[in-house]
Amino acid sequence: MRNAEHLANVMVQAFIDAVDRGVDLVPVVADSTSTAKIAPFIKKYPDRVVNVGIAEQSLVGMAAGLSLGGKIAVTCNAAPFLVSRANEQIKVDICYNNTNVKLFGLNAGASYGPLASTHHAIDDLSVMRGFGNIQIFAPSSPLECRKIIDYALAYQGPVYIRMDGKELPELYDESYTFVPGAVNILREGHDVALVATGSTVHEIADAAAVLADEGIQVKVIGVPSLRPCDSAALMQALRDCRTVITVEEHNINGGLGSLVAEVLAENGAAARLKRLGIPDGSYAAAADRRFLRQYHGFDAQSIVGLVKEMSQS
């Protein structure tokens, strides 16, 4: 994998660089130092990390208080526990009060694999989209992750960043610029549009490469910014494609698929839409992620088969 790097390592280096340049940043963890891979930060800035123990509500409340005291507070713990256990605190302490807190949902989706449903974050995007006043991002590569974090630390207001729990290869060159709301077209095509966010962008990019060899031209669209989202730009990217397939490691309701459906419907588009992800009413199987994606039909190989089938109908 080209320049593959774990996104948590990217996050920690961004934190170190921020403090080095004078940003008054304080990471808050919930006994999640290993999940956050934050040891290098602690080694350099041991007095800047607050560990509240396994108490996610306190994690968010503490971060809100630090923010109100003038700090840039960043929470670093597993997405399923951040979003589920601290739901009310995120809604009230962060969103309602517009505190300058950056919430990092680590090991999102089914990153924890066989630890199963209790450890899977397959509803976090739908929950966060249901809250107002919080920006929502999901990087798909190390460079995109770093650009999003640098933006988030400079932005005044609440941010949620959904981060995968494995090494991801690079998709972009050094000229890449993150623009909040923008969509990224990684490959042009007119037959089918594949749209993904986070780590599943790699699945659609791999599928499109296989399909191109077979003469099927697929447009590949990455959506790192779910809020804000430039709906006009997304619609423009989808306009010439009769078939649109969304791919996400999330419940098919409330996440990227719902966002794309809303954009298509609001613009009166006639495209067929297929949403791939975790089916409604299903919790992820207790298995590794590759099996999970194959089982639910959103790995690259399954996407290839679906595109062929839909292209012929």
Side-chain angles (χ1 to χ4, degrees), residues 200-265:
T200 53
V201 175
H202 296 270
E203 301 286 0
I204 65 171
D206 291 346
V210 173
L211 290 162
D213 290 339
E214 300 185 23
I216 301 175
Q217 299 305 313
V218 172
K219 180 174 285 189
V220 175
I221 303 171
V223 182
S225 181
L226 286 91
R227 183 191 289 147
C229 178
D230 186 341
S231 298
L234 180 56
M235 188 62 237
Q236 184 61 37
L238 299 175
R239 193 172 300 280
D240 295 331
C241 299
R242 293 192 308 115
T243 299
V244 178
I245 300 172
T246 62
V247 184
E248 58 193 316
E249 195 168 278
H250 185 274
N251 188 290
I252 59 170
N253 294 318
L256 175 69
S258 293
L259 172 63
V260 171
E262 292 159 13
V263 170
L264 291 172

Side-chain angles (χ1 to χ4, degrees), residues 99-152:
T99 48
N100 191 31
V101 175
K102 319 306 171 185
L103 303 168
F104 286 81
L106 307 178
N107 292 0
S111 295
Y112 281 112
L115 292 179
S117 302
T118 58
H119 283 60
H120 292 169
I122 60 172
D123 52 11
D124 56 319
L125 292 177
S126 61
V127 172
M128 289 298 178
R129 290 188 71 220
F131 291 157
N133 196 39
I134 186 166
Q135 297 197 345
I136 305 167
F137 306 121
S140 61
S141 80
L143 179 61
E144 186 169 67
C145 182
R146 177 58 190 260
K147 298 283 189 177
I148 287 174
I149 294 172
D150 288 345
Y151 162 79

Side-chain angles (χ1 to χ4, degrees), residues 1-5 141-143 167-174 186 202:
M1 294 190 294
R2 184 169 65 91
N3 300 324
E5 190 171 2
S141 80
L143 179 61
E167 289 190 352
L168 292 179
E170 191 51 67
L171 289 166
Y172 304 99
D173 60 33
E174 290 299 323
L186 286 84
H202 296 270

Side-chain angles (χ1 to χ4, degrees), residues 62-81:
M62 179 71 74
L66 287 164
S67 171
L68 292 172
K71 310 290 185 183
I72 295 178
V74 295
T75 70
C76 311
N77 73 313
F81 310 134

Side-chain angles (χ1 to χ4, degrees), residues 10-89:
V10 176
M11 175 190 74
V12 171
Q13 188 58 54
F15 292 170
I16 291 172
D17 293 345
V19 177
D20 284 349
R21 64 177 182 266
V23 176
D24 194 3
L25 180 145
V26 179
V28 188
V29 297
D31 211 21
S32 49
T33 53
S34 60
T35 298
K37 299 185 181 299
I38 204 154
F41 186 95
I42 294 174
K43 182 177 180 180
K44 188 165 186 181
Y45 295 110
D47 297 330
R48 279 193 169 269
V49 176
V50 176
N51 190 342
V52 301
I54 303 175
E56 284 76 10
Q57 296 94 335
S58 297
L59 171 93
V60 174
M62 179 71 74
L66 287 164
S67 171
L68 292 172
K71 310 290 185 183
I72 295 178
V74 295
T75 70
C76 311
N77 73 313
F81 310 134
L82 170 68
V83 174
S84 297
R85 293 179 181 167
N87 186 282
E88 183 179 8
Q89 285 71 28

